[in-house]
Amino acid sequence: IVVDESGQPVPGAEVIDTESNRVFGVATTADDRGAFRLTLRSRNDWDLKLLARTPDGRIQGRIVLKPKQLGQPVRIVIAPAR
């Protein structure tokens, strides 16, 4: 789920796997509850780095997932750049 600093869902936030090749990169958009699902091309033994941002890119957040966290619910908090 993508939420803002107050814990409110952020509909329309884009979530991107920042480690993927940009040509075949994996991205999705959060629904009206801020929920998203990424379908990864393969499971890896390394960390997965995700970026979530509003459509205008002005508010964003990042999270790093360890391999054991894959397939579990994820919460990404986004905030204005400081």
Side-chain angles (χ1 to χ4, degrees), residues 12-76:
E14 182 180 29
V15 181
I16 305 162
D17 167 8
T18 62
E19 294 296 304
S20 289
N21 177 310
R22 297 320 307 158
V23 175
F24 301 107
V26 179
T28 192
T29 302
D31 65 15
D32 60 344
R33 297 171 293 127
F36 67 92
R37 178 180 294 270
L38 277 177
T39 302
L40 303 175
R41 297 190 185 283
S42 65
R43 293 219 175 232
N44 301 310
D45 293 332
W46 56 82
D47 296 348
L48 177 67
K49 298 176 183 176
L50 299 179
L51 166 72
R53 64 183 178 201
T54 54
D56 63 10
R58 295 173 60 195
I59 302 174
Q60 52 187 260
R62 296 178 185 273
I63 190 169
V64 177
L65 302 174
K66 300 293 182 189
K68 66 182 180 180
Q69 294 174 289
L70 296 177
Q72 309 259 337
V74 174
R75 181 180 179 97
I76 305 174

